[in-house]
Amino acid sequence: SQQGEEDPQALSIQEGENATMNCSYKTSINNLQWYRQNSGRGLVHLILIRSNEREKHSGRLRVTLDTSKKSSSLLITASRAADTASYFCATDARTNAGKSTFGDGTTLTVKP
Amino acid sequence: EAGVAQSPRYKIIEKRQSVAFWCNPISGHATLYWYQQILGQGPKLLIQFQNNGVVDDSQLPKDRFSAERLKGVDSTLKIQPAKLEDSAVYLCASSAYRGQGTEAFFGQGTRLTVV
């Protein structure tokens, strides 16, 4: 089974609104990464947060990590139509550094 | 810098036929990954190479799938014989090294349809 599970499976918002996606995982991790995948394309790395970090920012992206709850969230502020994509979290378990395990993703639709 | 190159982009084959995918990672990247992504799911790791050695192939169906990375650069993934359930996108990714906090760069994938 996948290590990370995203929630919700699908999210539809209006342009300008904020989008929040969540990721839960099962085992202890070294770090957690978020990726974006546009339809029919490969994945693009967005942000990495290490297990000793609680929050990280990159442009309009904000990621939080709560290791006690084994969960992470990705916030996209002031969304744009171009943000329409699937978003995946990937966890690097402590037991296998360098191997990322992906969840099944959240499909975000931003309506213009 | 050039990205991860994969070919072909699309492939349609009949079940029981064989197929091969090719990947050229980013120059200098020691680690190469092959993922299978079934529609509506996240990528599942099939095999991970460090240079030309296999690090992890625990989820590779070895009775029909094989992969090699000769000379630690390009890689090929082969399926023989293909089954209907092998229909998926096969993604190749590379990273500079294997270890904590390693960002992977993905190719655009090969969409395989088995009919």
Side-chain angles (χ1 to χ4, degrees):
Chain A
S1 64
Q2 300 286 51
Q3 159 79 314
E5 292 186 6
E6 290 89 344
D7 171 64
Q9 286 187 324
L11 181 60
S12 181
I13 59 174
Q14 293 293 133
E15 207 166 27
E17 294 181 338
N18 295 341
T20 300
M21 289 157 267
N22 303 296
C23 170
S24 60
Y25 56 91
K26 298 173 183 173
T27 63
S28 295
I29 60 171
N30 287 321
N31 60 72
L32 184 146
Q33 304 182 61
W34 284 92
Y35 286 81
R36 183 186 74 227
Q37 184 177 38
N38 291 87
S39 180
R41 302 209 166 204
L43 283 78
V44 173
H45 185 266
L46 295 176
I47 198 165
L48 178 150
I49 187 165
R50 301 187 189 283
S51 60
N52 61 353
E53 297 175 313
R54 291 296 167 258
E55 187 171 312
K56 208 159 182 181
H57 297 255
S58 176
R60 293 184 295 113
L61 306 180
R62 172 178 168 250
V63 169
T64 62
L65 179 64
D66 187 336
T67 53
S68 66
K69 295 181 179 178
K70 292 187 169 57
S71 67
S72 173
S73 67
L74 170 67
L75 168 67
I76 304 174
T77 60
S79 64
R80 306 166 181 168
D83 295 328
T84 294
S86 293
Y87 293 81
F88 296 89
C89 68
T91 52
D92 289 2
R94 287 192 188 278
T95 54
N96 193 349
K99 174 182 175 180
S100 291
T101 304
F102 287 81
D104 285 338
T106 292
T107 300
L108 173 65
T109 302
V110 182
K111 301 174 187 175
Chain B
E1 101 189 320
V4 175
Q6 288 189 247
S7 68
R9 285 294 315 274
Y10 305 93
K11 190 74 177 178
I12 301 174
I13 62 172
E14 295 182 350
K15 59 184 179 183
R16 292 187 289 275
Q17 286 187 325
S18 61
V19 64
F21 312 127
W22 174 82
C23 173
N24 186 7
I26 292 174
S27 178
H29 278 193
T31 307
L32 185 147
Y33 313 80
W34 282 103
Y35 287 87
Q36 179 193 59
Q37 186 177 22
I38 292 172
L39 185 65
Q41 298 181 17
K44 182 183 82 172
L45 180 68
L46 292 176
I47 189 166
Q48 178 183 343
F49 292 94
Q50 179 73 11
N51 296 311
N52 61 346
V54 176
V55 172
D56 186 336
D57 63 356
S58 57
Q59 298 193 87
L60 186 73
K62 298 180 185 64
D63 58 334
R64 298 184 300 106
F65 286 64
S66 64
E68 60 182 10
R69 190 184 184 197
L70 300 176
K71 301 179 182 178
V73 182
D74 293 8
S75 178
T76 56
L77 176 69
K78 297 179 182 178
I79 307 175
Q80 181 179 11
K83 294 184 175 181
L84 296 176
E85 58 260 37
D86 298 332
S87 293
V89 175
Y90 291 84
L91 295 163
C92 179
S94 69
S95 61
Y97 61 94
R98 173 176 177 256
Q100 297 183 26
T102 304
E103 174 185 350
F105 294 82
F106 282 79
Q108 296 214 38
T110 296
R111 183 177 298 275
L112 173 68
T113 302
V114 182
V115 297

